[in-house]
Amino acid sequence: MIELLVGLGNPGPEHALDRHNAGFWFVDQIASAAGVSLKPERGFFGDVARVRLHGRELWLLEPSTYMNRSGQSVGAFARFYKIAPEHILVAHDELDLPPGQAKLKLGGGHAGHNGLRDLIAHLGTPNFWRLRLGIGHPGDRAAVIGFVLGKPPQSELNLIEQAMEQSQAVLPLLLKGEFEAAMMQLHRGNREGGRKAAPAPSAKG
């Protein structure tokens, strides 16, 4: 089962609406739905909350380091609370999926994602769960940095928010450890798509 949900992103209001902060957006959505706020925890180099969802306890964590040092935060937290990597779900932006799609995956490489790269280094294994939130690709590798650090247009934000809602809907299954069922439900939602326009995430104060 999932005990820790991590959102990846860069800290500061100047990055709040960057595509690279999609992981933060998802964790913020979960915290808002649970009626809690994440609080800074210096010892874990991040913002933390404890929530009760669907009858189960779950930690939320957003590293306050920059993306390429995310593992410092997650590693410290996981070691302190003795949370195994396979009980961690990391929400992050995914260049290889279009906006509106989200996929679950256990393990794998980092595919050039600096947050995942650092997580693997600090956890000592790639075998943690990933929630891959599609942001699309600029089509040119040279343009990737500017793309992920840029704000998507409203139409793409709506699609990303829709994928987050579909992802939130499978959390009860993830919290119970029913990973195959969660993957099937989420990936089926990707294929079926959706026509509902959702509100875009807003910058955090």
Side-chain angles (χ1 to χ4, degrees):
M1 69 184 73
I2 296 301
E3 300 175 30
L4 171 62
L5 171 57
V6 178
L8 297 188
N10 285 313
E14 69 274 22
H15 293 296
L17 292 179
D18 291 356
R19 291 179 176 91
H20 220 19
N21 277 35
F24 277 8
W25 300 345
F26 183 68
V27 170
D28 287 344
Q29 186 185 73
I30 300 302
S32 177
V36 303
S37 298
L38 282 79
K39 305 295 184 184
E41 290 285 353
R42 187 176 301 175
F44 299 131
F45 312 98
D47 297 340
V48 177
R50 180 76 159 164
V51 298
R52 186 168 181 83
L53 296 173
H54 313 291
R56 296 179 184 267
E57 299 290 329
L58 178 68
W59 287 106
L60 305 179
L61 173 64
E62 292 179 357
S64 55
T65 57
Y66 279 93
M67 180 70 83
N68 62 354
R69 295 177 58 203
S70 300
Q72 180 182 15
S73 173
V74 180
F77 195 96
R79 285 190 298 272
F80 184 85
Y81 286 106
K82 297 179 172 58
I83 299 174
E86 60 268 24
H87 295 160
I88 299 173
L89 174 63
V90 178
H92 66 88
D93 58 303
E94 177 57 69
L95 286 162
D96 292 335
L97 294 176
Q101 286 199 12
K103 291 190 176 182
L104 284 164
K105 176 183 179 182
L106 174 63
H110 54 71
H113 192 291
N114 288 330
L116 295 178
R117 188 198 310 269
D118 200 55
L119 274 168
I120 292 169
H122 279 266
L123 292 175
T125 177
N127 292 324
F128 50 87
W129 283 90
R130 299 102 184 273
L131 174 62
R132 305 162 63 215
L133 299 165
I135 60 169
H137 196 288
D140 181 355
R141 288 186 64 183
V144 163
I145 293 177
F147 182 78
V148 300
L149 295 179
K151 176 182 175 181
Q154 186 69 43
S155 58
E156 291 182 10
L157 282 174
N158 289 344
L159 289 170
I160 294 168
E161 179 73 14
Q162 180 178 292
M164 290 182 186
E165 291 179 356
Q166 293 173 346
S167 302
Q168 188 174 173
V170 305
L171 266 181
L173 295 171
L174 293 172
L175 291 172
K176 290 188 291 185
E178 297 180 11
F179 298 109
E180 289 297 326
M183 292 171 70
M184 287 180 62
Q185 180 177 322
L186 181 59
H187 299 172
R188 182 173 63 246
N190 289 333
R191 291 194 300 270
E192 292 172 354
R195 300 176 183 177
K196 182 179 66 172
S202 58
K204 292 194 289 186

